[in-house]
Amino acid sequence: MALRLGDILVEKGIITPQELKMAIDEQQRTGEILGQVLVKMGFVTEKEMLQALAEQQGIPFLDLKDVKIDENIIKKVPAKFATHYKIMPLNMEENVLTIAISNPFDMWPIDDLETHLGFRVERTLATTQDILEAIGRYYGVGSETIEGILAGEPRPEKKQEVDLEDNVQDLEKMAGDASIIKLVNQILRQAIDDRATDIHIEHFRGELALRYRIDGVLYDIQVSEDIRQLHPAIVSRIKVMSGLNIIERRIPQDGRTKVKIGDNECDLRVSVVPTIYGENIVIRILHTKMLYDLSDLGLSRRAYDILDELLKKPHGIVLVTGPTGSGKSTTLYAALNKLNTRDRKIITIEDPVEYELRGITQIQVNPKIGLTFAQALRSMLRHDPDIMMVGEVRDFETAEITIQTALTGHLVFSTLHTNDAASGVTRLLNIGVEPFLIASSVVAFIAQRLVRVLCKKCKEKYEPKNSKDKTLYRARGCEACNNTGYMGRTGIYEILLVNEEIEKLILKKASASEIKEKAQKLGMKNLRDDGWEKVIAGVTTPEEVMRVTQL
């Protein structure tokens, strides 16, 4: 006679007899299955409970993360079945389909599969979370919604292209269709759950690709190949959400909207561009509830102290340099957040305003009506600011007004697109700023990059071949980090202080390499050195530092 579930768990030492008694009392009160009661009361994990059930029922238990499933098996079970019943097809031999389920007592999925698909079904057990992750991994985002939308509709042959000149009224109707709204919401929710900063929806010949940028790297996301038939409707829905012209498909459009998914409130920046196969979309995801603190940026103790001293200066310009996506705006927001007190007036000019900061006056440029950085700068001086931020110094006019603003007693923050701190001097010279103005107004150039942080749960030690006395860490990959080996990003910094000796070189129009060499002799730590310190500390890997500091 088979042991009862509770007896198996007690025998294995997973629960105590007292805990079993408490669970049985609760079961008698609620009428629930004992295993569910044990999990709900926190006495066992779902995995422990299922492993005991597998032993009791004589059913195998599988860890789905270790199982590779053939694509042909996936095609045998529609996504709507897998999603509705939370099952995962695993194997097919002759007419016997093996599936993973998390409740061996629920016979509806078995009966439904055997009735509608004509297979004989055998079961293995797996955790609910593993099954849901496998469904997402193999069927793709929103697969059951796509199946539902296309159900009963004639499907074009595989090589046939979707007509990009659909009737506008039809597109408007589809954009408002509940199923299309659900599909777009699923794409957004998955991106937010995966910590993505950008969503790329790209249309190619016969294919619609979905990619998420996570920790600065783009990853392909599994989607049903049938999603390409819904491309016009998806584009239209996103345009409607972000206030764009649904009819216009010939020119690029930019829009924005706010969404709330679960507890996450996000600002979405939408960019639509026409391509030879239709419109492509990139959605930038900005979390509106973000707290900016200098201590969270990854600054070393020395770099933090230097930046802290720069923030105390009554006037001058602090320029943060680096390519797009290197975290310049985040550093500036953290600095402004520290300076944001009731006795100071802070004004920013941005393109666009990425995050809203309470207590700070934020202006968004609009070149279409003549509101440029330079024009806004002239106006904001009449508002009696103490501190200003100019999103980017792009041209001579903006640079000149920014410098004059600093020379008249204001602390100004801005950004430049250069590879390192010393190249900031060269950049200003190239757009026509006089050397004496740079030397007398700029107090520091700060270059930065973002490196991925090793996942704390799975990073592993190793001894590098060329350095026996150092232990480094490398990425391995686990469930927590989506098998990437990394979780989040941190900054590496290079701070060039404009002191007397650097001023002399600027006045001589010295090259960036000369200025950098002098600054390093005076104690400046370059980007790669700062990155290597994080490698030694086990924060990141040598490969990450090399990736972002290659010039």
Side-chain angles (χ1 to χ4, degrees):
M1 182 178 175
L3 285 173
R4 291 178 300 180
L5 175 64
D7 295 333
I8 293 172
L9 291 167
V10 171
E11 189 178 275
K12 290 179 176 293
I14 296 171
I15 63 173
T16 65
Q18 292 78 15
E19 288 171 335
L20 175 58
K21 184 179 184 311
M22 291 168 64
I24 290 173
D25 290 343
E26 180 67 12
Q27 178 199 22
Q28 290 173 348
R29 190 181 68 81
T30 63
E32 293 178 284
I33 297 171
L34 179 61
Q36 293 174 340
V37 174
L38 286 164
V39 173
K40 188 185 292 184
M41 295 180 76
F43 294 153
V44 297
T45 64
E46 185 189 16
K47 184 175 181 179
E48 290 170 335
M49 184 267 291
L50 288 174
Q51 286 172 330
L53 270 177
E55 183 178 322
Q56 182 200 43
Q57 299 290 319
I59 302 172
F61 176 85
L62 278 181
D63 190 333
L64 290 189
K65 298 181 193 67
D66 301 329
V67 177
K68 186 167 179 58
I69 304 169
D70 190 279
E71 189 178 330
N72 293 321
I73 303 299
I74 304 299
K75 291 177 180 176
K76 293 185 182 296
V77 178
K80 64 180 179 181
F81 271 97
T83 305
H84 178 70
Y85 287 123
K86 295 184 178 62
I87 63 170
M88 190 65 204
L90 301 174
N91 190 29
M92 185 85 179
E93 288 186 9
E94 296 181 351
N95 199 45
V96 180
L97 175 70
T98 302
I99 64 169
I101 59 173
S102 59
N103 183 358
F105 304 112
D106 186 1
M107 299 308 296
W108 280 107
I110 313 300
D111 294 341
D112 221 354
L113 281 170
E114 290 183 340
T115 302
H116 288 88
L117 302 182
F119 304 132
R120 191 163 67 81
V121 176
E122 290 190 354
R123 301 166 296 161
T124 64
L125 295 183
T127 66
T128 304
Q129 185 62 31
D130 280 1
I131 291 171
L132 293 176
E133 287 180 2
I135 291 171
R137 188 161 61 248
Y138 287 98
Y139 283 98
V141 178
S143 50
E144 82 285 358
T145 306
I146 296 167
E147 274 188 2
I149 294 170
L150 297 176
E153 294 183 8
R155 302 191 184 191
E157 294 298 319
K158 194 165 187 177
K159 292 185 180 179
Q160 183 179 336
E161 295 302 323
V162 177
D163 183 10
L164 298 178
E165 298 300 325
D166 297 282
N167 183 278
V168 171
Q169 284 82 6
D170 289 344
L171 283 179
E172 288 177 343
K173 183 179 177 183
M174 286 191 76
D177 182 83
S179 296
I180 288 295
I181 293 171
K182 180 182 177 183
L183 176 58
V184 171
N185 287 348
Q186 286 172 326
I187 291 171
L188 292 172
R189 177 185 286 278
Q190 188 64 51
I192 291 168
D193 288 346
D194 289 348
R195 301 179 297 107
T197 54
D198 301 87
I199 301 170
H200 292 244
I201 300 172
E202 302 162 316
H203 200 234
F204 304 107
R205 181 187 293 274
E207 176 191 8
L208 187 68
L210 177 65
R211 296 196 289 171
Y212 294 162
R213 187 177 294 281
I214 304 168
D215 293 334
V217 178
L218 275 171
Y219 294 94
D220 281 303
I221 303 302
Q222 177 71 29
V223 286
S224 164
E225 64 180 24
D226 291 330
I227 196 174
R228 68 186 179 88
Q229 298 176 57
L230 302 176
H231 173 250
I234 291 170
V235 171
S236 297
R237 171 60 191 162
I238 294 170
K239 282 184 174 181
V240 168
M241 286 173 61
S242 50
L244 300 180
N245 186 344
I246 196 173
I247 300 172
E248 182 56 73
R249 305 182 200 171
R250 301 162 299 169
I251 60 173
Q253 295 188 68
D254 294 313
R256 63 187 292 181
T257 186
K258 280 189 177 181
V259 296
K260 187 172 183 181
I261 297 179
D263 294 330
N264 295 292
E265 189 173 307
C266 299
D267 219 345
L268 305 182
R269 300 293 166 77
V270 178
S271 177
V272 183
V273 295
T275 73
I276 57 173
Y277 295 114
E279 291 173 296
N280 283 4
I281 293 179
V282 174
I283 303 172
R284 167 65 59 87
I285 302 171
L286 301 168
H287 294 270
T288 55
K289 295 178 181 177
M290 297 229 7
L291 298 175
Y292 300 96
D293 196 297
L294 289 179
S295 60
D296 297 330
L297 300 181
L299 291 156
S300 66
R301 184 71 253 176
R302 181 172 178 273
Y304 180 92
D305 290 341
I306 292 171
L307 183 52
D308 196 41
E309 287 300 314
L310 290 173
L311 299 185
K312 294 175 184 175
K313 290 189 175 294
H315 54 80
I317 304 173
V318 177
L319 287 165
V320 182
T321 77
T324 301
S326 59
K328 300 186 299 296
S329 295
T330 301
T331 298
L332 291 178
Y333 279 124
L336 293 181
N337 193 45
K338 185 175 176 66
L339 293 167
N340 187 15
T341 57
R342 296 304 299 165
D343 60 337
R344 293 189 177 104
K345 171 83 169 184
I346 303 176
I347 303 179
T348 73
I349 310 168
E350 305 172 60
D351 183 22
V353 173
E354 293 191 14
Y355 301 102
E356 295 176 16
L357 295 175
R358 184 177 177 84
I360 293 178
T361 301
Q362 295 174 272
I363 301 168
Q364 181 159 316
V365 301
N366 187 348
K368 291 179 182 177
I369 59 171
L371 183 57
T372 61
F373 279 114
Q375 180 60 45
L377 256 170
R378 291 190 184 95
S379 300
M380 68 195 287
L381 286 170
R382 303 187 191 105
H383 280 254
D384 188 30
D386 299 293
I387 298 163
M388 288 181 285
M389 183 183 88
V390 182
E392 183 184 348
V393 174
R394 296 177 179 175
D395 50 48
F396 172 72
E397 187 181 15
T398 305
E400 184 181 43
I401 302 170
T402 301
I403 287 169
Q404 293 298 334
T405 300
L407 292 176
T408 54
H410 299 87
L411 183 59
V412 184
F413 297 90
S414 192
T415 69
L416 285 171
H417 281 90
T418 64
N419 285 327
D420 59 11
S423 297
V425 177
T426 310
R427 171 71 177 145
L428 292 177
L429 290 171
N430 287 342
I431 62 177
V433 180
E434 292 293 336
F436 75 91
L437 289 175
I438 301 172
S440 58
S441 62
V442 181
V443 295
F445 294 90
I446 303 173
Q448 71 174 83
R449 298 289 190 279
L450 293 175
V451 293
R452 291 185 290 173
V453 174
L454 280 164
C455 174
K456 292 178 181 178
K457 292 189 177 180
C458 69
K459 68 178 183 179
E460 60 183 16
K461 291 181 180 180
Y462 75 100
E463 299 287 341
K465 294 178 182 178
N466 59 351
S467 181
K468 293 181 181 178
D469 59 337
K470 289 188 177 75
T471 299
L472 303 183
Y473 292 83
R474 61 187 164 203
R476 193 179 75 206
C478 67
E479 179 185 354
C481 62
N482 225 0
N483 291 309
T484 63
Y486 298 94
M487 178 74 81
R489 289 188 290 175
T490 192
I492 58 175
Y493 295 87
E494 175 179 291
I495 303 178
L496 171 59
L497 296 174
V498 181
N499 53 30
E500 286 186 19
E501 295 195 50
I502 299 299
E503 283 180 14
K504 290 175 185 176
L505 292 176
I506 294 173
L507 292 171
K508 287 167 52 181
K509 293 189 178 181
S511 66
S513 58
E514 288 178 272
I515 294 172
K516 185 171 186 175
E517 184 181 349
K518 185 65 174 178
Q520 286 180 306
K521 285 180 180 176
L522 294 171
M524 183 186 79
K525 190 177 295 178
N526 65 31
L527 286 167
R528 193 164 288 180
D529 289 341
D530 191 41
W532 186 248
E533 282 191 359
K534 288 179 172 61
V535 170
I536 299 298
V539 174
T540 190
T541 61
E543 294 78 13
E544 269 299 288
V545 175
M546 293 298 291
R547 178 177 69 87
V548 301
T549 58
Q550 292 283 4
L551 302 181

